[in-house]
Amino acid sequence: MPLQLRSLPALLLAALLPLTGLTQSPAPEPLELAAAERILLDANPAILQARAAQAAARAGIDMAGARPNPQLTLGSTSTDPGRAGTRGFWNSWTDNTVRVDQLFERGNKRDLRLAAADLNLSASGAELANTIRLARIDLANAWLDLRVAREIRRIANENAALAQRAADAAEVRGKAGDLAGVDVARFRADAARVANDALQAELAHTRARIALAQLLGNRLPSAQLDTSDDWPAAAPAPAGDTGERPDLLAARQRTQQASALRELARAQRTRDVSVGIQYEHAGANANNSYSTTSYGLSVSVPLFINYDYRGEIARSEADYTAAEQQLLATRAAVSNEQARLQAEVDASRARHERLRDVVLPAAEKAARGADVAIQKGAMSLTDYLDTQRSLRSARIEATLARAELARAGLLLRLAGDTP
């Protein structure tokens, strides 16, 4: 047996010994997905903006239901301000008038405005629900990214520690002349490669923490963020969920609102009527020895000579057509998304089961066999290192597959399908 192979059993046993003496900082408090969603509803900027838009739409109902205010006009006209013998400005002979004008809308304009404003409020509520749905999707992705990054970091750190102990043991054996220099270098190179993987895993974990903290409005410091150990299969239904996708509901209500606004634009051609009532008092003057009082009534209507609201009507028609097309596009997108996500769930489940039940057990079995074979000199160092790399790759791949299955299940639930 070659000298370097006879020395490998002690080398490998030393590398696989339990790690001791490693100090660990206290772990952050685990954050479950349900708890993260509660923070999301109170802190996410997009949700807060959508709530403000809903409040503005609610105020729009008061604006739409407002009736035209009457207009009061007070007038004073001097009949002869320069006449000799006048008694000053305030005592001069003047005509005083009081007039009130009221505009009366016709063509059911107020009811049409109220209908459009009510549909706008309903659509704003549906858009808020859709904003929450999209934020929940982002949260599910960010939470799962952190969950995966944490698991991969753990695997990478364990691999790096074991590889470094193996390299240190090989260095000792090489100095003692029990291991060839080329094999020592290969152990050292493998340890460096695995250490780089651990650094990348640490960086990915930090990035995932920051991304989740930003999504939660930085209510929790990124350094204190960590996930629980569970792998959620589906998201809970949003509160008040009626079973219809909120973006589809919003598109339908926007179409109805566009229809009401189109009717309102057409109603502009129905002439409004302005009615005025006037009271006039004329004091005594050189021509009249006594004061007089008179009343007046006026009615005015617009004449559509220069413009007849054709621009507003044409724009409302275009807006209605655009809303209809958006509704059709949203309906098709919802159907296609649900079909795609269902296919992803099926594929992710099959891939995860294959990795869990076949690939990972086979890699673990091969690694255990390699440990025995290398001790008996029945396996080359190259094959042994390849077996260890395959095991590390299988563990990470199984973790990623489990995460993708959880992600696909969550996204399918949030797409409007039931798990």
Side-chain angles (χ1 to χ4, degrees), residues 40-41 47 51 127-137:
L40 180 80
L41 295 177
I47 295 178
R51 284 176 178 162
E127 289 169 350
L128 171 60
N130 190 54
T131 300
I132 293 176
R133 184 184 71 88
L134 296 176
R136 286 159 62 90
I137 290 176

Side-chain angles (χ1 to χ4, degrees), residues 61-249:
I61 293 182
D62 292 335
M63 298 167 58
R67 300 181 185 274
N69 289 320
Q71 183 173 352
L72 173 65
T73 303
L74 301 177
S76 179
T77 304
S78 176
T79 56
D80 192 3
R83 180 175 180 273
T86 57
R87 293 164 290 180
F89 178 79
W90 296 111
N91 295 321
S92 62
W93 298 308
T94 59
D95 289 342
N96 301 313
T97 60
V98 178
R99 181 181 179 86
V100 177
D101 293 278
Q102 175 65 58
L103 178 67
F104 294 91
E105 291 183 315
R106 299 174 63 243
N108 205 27
K109 295 184 181 69
R110 180 174 179 272
D111 291 339
L112 290 172
R113 285 199 308 270
L114 282 171
D118 186 66
L119 288 168
N120 182 45
L121 177 59
S122 299
S124 298
E127 289 169 350
L128 171 60
N130 190 54
T131 300
I132 293 176
R133 184 184 71 88
L134 296 176
R136 286 159 62 90
I137 290 176
D138 293 338
L139 176 64
N141 284 320
W143 191 92
L144 285 171
D145 287 344
L146 180 55
R147 176 69 178 87
V148 172
R150 189 192 72 174
E151 188 70 14
I152 292 179
R153 183 189 65 164
R154 182 188 65 81
I155 296 174
N157 287 338
E158 291 178 357
N159 293 336
L162 290 173
Q164 185 59 47
R165 286 176 63 87
D168 293 342
E171 190 77 24
V172 173
R173 294 293 180 177
K175 291 180 180 179
D178 294 338
L179 194 64
V182 63
D183 291 331
V184 173
R186 293 175 65 180
F187 268 103
R188 190 184 303 115
D190 185 70
R193 181 166 49 251
V194 178
N196 283 337
D197 293 340
L199 286 177
Q200 288 300 115
E202 184 68 34
L203 177 59
H205 184 259
T206 301
R207 288 175 175 173
R209 275 181 166 180
I210 294 174
L212 182 57
Q214 290 178 342
L215 196 62
L216 297 178
N218 293 314
R219 293 291 180 91
L220 296 176
S222 61
Q224 297 181 7
L225 279 179
D226 202 355
T227 64
S228 56
D229 294 333
D230 59 328
W231 291 101
D241 187 11
T242 60
E244 185 178 19
R245 274 273 292 264
D247 53 349
L248 183 58
L249 177 61

Side-chain angles (χ1 to χ4, degrees), residues 265-403:
R266 293 172 178 174
Q268 298 300 317
R269 286 183 172 175
T270 301
R271 292 173 174 82
D272 296 335
V273 177
S274 180
V275 178
I277 299 176
Q278 179 172 309
Y279 166 82
E280 181 176 0
H281 175 77
N285 53 41
N287 299 321
N288 296 318
S289 57
Y290 55 88
S291 60
T292 60
T293 300
S294 60
Y295 301 90
L297 176 67
S298 65
V299 178
S300 61
V301 296
L303 301 177
F304 296 157
I305 297 176
N306 298 321
Y307 189 63
D308 58 354
Y309 297 99
R310 68 186 65 180
E312 285 82 351
I313 295 174
R315 185 175 63 182
S316 67
E317 293 285 354
D319 292 342
Y320 177 74
T321 301
E324 278 190 323
Q325 294 301 316
Q326 182 62 41
L327 175 59
L328 294 175
T330 303
R331 184 179 293 116
V334 168
S335 178
N336 293 335
E337 183 181 6
Q338 290 176 345
R340 175 180 59 82
L341 290 174
Q342 183 61 60
E344 290 183 2
V345 167
D346 296 338
S348 298
R349 181 179 293 111
R351 179 171 178 266
H352 171 253
E353 291 176 353
R354 190 176 298 111
L355 285 167
R356 180 194 62 191
D357 301 335
V358 180
V359 177
L360 185 57
E364 292 175 345
K365 183 178 179 180
R368 290 193 299 268
D371 290 338
V372 175
I374 197 68
Q375 295 181 38
K376 295 181 178 180
M379 176 179 285
S380 66
L381 179 60
T382 300
D383 292 338
Y384 176 78
L385 293 178
D386 288 342
T387 303
Q388 296 302 314
R389 294 190 194 101
S390 298
L391 177 59
R392 293 195 295 263
S393 177
R395 287 174 176 171
I396 293 177
E397 192 174 1
T399 300
L400 292 176
R402 184 63 185 89

